[in-house]
Amino acid sequence: MKVSVIISTYTNERFRDVLRCVESINNQTLKPYEILLVLDPVEKLVEFYKNAVPSYVKVVVSDGFGLSEARNKGVVESRGDILAFIDDDAWAEETWLEKIVENYYDETIYGVGGRILPVFEGERPKWLPEELDWIVGCTYKGLPEQKTQIRNPIGANMSFRREAFEIAGLFRSEVGRYGKKLLSGEEAEFAMRLRKLKPDARIIYEPSAIVYHKVSKSRTKVSYAVKRAFYEGYSKAILSKDYFLEAETKYFVFIIKSILKKLLSKGRQPEAFGMVLIVVAVGLGNLYGRFRILGQ
């Protein structure tokens, strides 16, 4: 199987991160068919990366701004049978592609997501427990720990058959990240749309397919976490127009139980308070999103 790896970036400030990511893909035990770096349509950005990345990287210019637009351009420009996505500030273990691809020999599997481990620039904040690692784009406590079927993968470590896009189309840009507008949910929406159109399509969580995700100090600030949580709620309000979000309901119950346990555990109160703050922010974002939808 030919595997296209798609990376996107919107800034040259992550240049060193991009190079680390690219190098980790090039050093895979299963060599990729191609590596695509998709850039926002900014002339200076494009010229910078064309002169900075290795010659084996195919530099692609997105048709628009935002993460979903970049991923969609990568899908269109790629030639592989399997399309794997990784964030520009992440890097993969050397067996990442090998562990992903071995699942696709089962023809019922249309998507595979792997494990995303956070690597903090400093120490993990005391208020940020593993249950909230989705805030920094990583696998979080409450998700399955063993290989199993899932609704959708997390964007920093996901892959799909090309056929999945032929069936379901591309990612919806209105629920994707756009600069500092921290919307999320395009991978969840795409996976649910795929399952609607092809109910027998399966998406698998493969915990042995591992990438590491850099967590900068700016992402561990309470202000960032609250903003990210608000937009998470907003994004889910958009998705709830068309889908029943069962996974989110189960996670909410899990979080409430976790908060109660931490409140009663010595030294875990900061984590509990952090979780309460995030739950409130998600709730406010969801209400805001629902009011926006009603007003349209």
Side-chain angles (χ1 to χ4, degrees):
M1 296 182 190
K2 296 177 180 178
V3 184
S4 298
V5 178
I6 298 169
I7 310 163
S8 62
T9 193
Y10 64 95
T11 175
N12 57 15
E13 292 178 3
R14 291 187 177 182
F15 168 61
R16 294 184 184 278
D17 295 328
V18 170
L19 286 185
R20 177 173 56 186
C21 180
V22 166
E23 183 178 359
S24 75
I25 303 306
N26 193 49
N27 291 331
Q28 292 289 297
T29 53
L30 175 65
K31 296 299 180 183
Y33 178 66
E34 60 183 353
I35 302 173
L36 290 83
L37 177 64
V38 187
L39 305 171
D40 277 358
V42 178
E43 186 176 348
K44 287 185 178 180
L45 181 72
V46 174
E47 288 303 313
F48 175 84
Y49 275 104
K50 278 185 175 180
N51 296 318
V53 296
S55 59
Y56 56 79
V57 177
K58 181 180 179 180
V59 175
V60 177
V61 183
S62 180
D63 293 329
F65 293 88
L67 181 56
S68 297
E69 291 283 359
R71 286 173 173 168
N72 288 339
K73 187 65 173 181
V75 171
V76 172
E77 293 292 328
S78 62
R79 297 170 293 167
D81 308 303
I82 307 299
L83 310 184
F85 300 83
I86 184 171
D87 281 7
D88 59 353
D89 55 353
W91 63 99
E93 282 200 349
E94 63 178 8
T95 58
W96 177 57
L97 289 181
E98 181 181 337
K99 295 298 183 181
I100 284 176
V101 168
E102 64 187 19
N103 287 280
Y104 284 108
Y105 290 105
D106 182 336
E107 295 184 354
T108 68
I109 294 177
Y110 277 70
V112 178
R115 191 178 177 195
I116 309 163
L117 299 176
V119 180
F120 292 88
E121 279 192 325
E123 294 184 359
R124 173 189 285 270
K126 291 182 179 180
W127 60 266
L128 182 65
E130 292 180 4
E131 288 89 341
L132 297 180
D133 277 354
W134 56 266
I135 288 173
V136 293
C138 295
T139 304
Y140 53 92
K141 190 173 182 180
L143 289 178
E145 297 181 5
Q146 305 298 322
K147 182 176 177 177
T148 188
Q149 185 168 331
I150 56 174
R151 185 189 69 185
N152 65 273
I154 297 175
N157 183 357
M158 68 176 177
S159 66
F160 292 98
R161 291 185 188 272
R162 175 171 297 282
E163 187 182 348
F165 296 98
E166 294 170 355
I167 293 169
L170 299 172
F171 295 107
R172 279 178 56 184
S173 58
E174 65 266 32
V175 289
R177 186 70 55 87
Y178 184 97
K180 295 182 179 181
K181 192 175 182 180
L182 303 179
L183 288 168
S184 64
E186 68 267 36
E187 58 264 33
E189 193 283 328
F190 175 80
M192 290 188 285
R193 180 164 23 110
L194 174 64
R195 289 292 304 279
K196 267 190 174 182
L197 296 168
K198 189 173 178 57
D200 60 336
R202 301 167 61 215
I203 298 174
I204 297 296
Y205 172 60
E206 175 55 77
S208 66
I210 297 172
V211 304
Y212 300 92
H213 200 175
K214 174 183 172 182
V215 181
S216 63
K217 291 182 179 179
S218 63
R219 288 191 177 186
T220 60
K221 293 180 179 179
V222 173
S223 56
Y224 173 86
V226 169
K227 183 178 179 180
R228 171 71 181 85
F230 179 87
Y231 276 110
E232 179 72 17
Y234 187 4
S235 302
K236 291 304 189 292
I238 296 173
L239 295 185
S240 66
K241 291 191 302 180
D242 302 311
Y243 305 99
F244 173 60
L245 304 181
E246 181 181 5
E248 283 73 12
T249 302
K250 290 181 178 179
Y251 173 72
F252 177 73
V253 173
F254 169 77
I255 281 292
I256 295 303
K257 290 180 179 178
S258 296
I259 290 172
L260 294 174
K261 288 180 181 178
K262 291 178 187 296
L263 284 172
L264 298 174
S265 300
K266 186 177 180 180
R268 306 297 293 274
Q269 286 79 13
E271 295 181 7
F273 293 137
M275 292 168 75
V276 169
L277 181 64
I278 295 306
V279 168
V280 171
V282 170
L284 290 174
N286 193 265
L287 286 173
Y288 176 76
R290 290 178 185 273
F291 282 124
R292 284 286 300 270
I293 292 167
L294 288 174
Q296 292 176 355

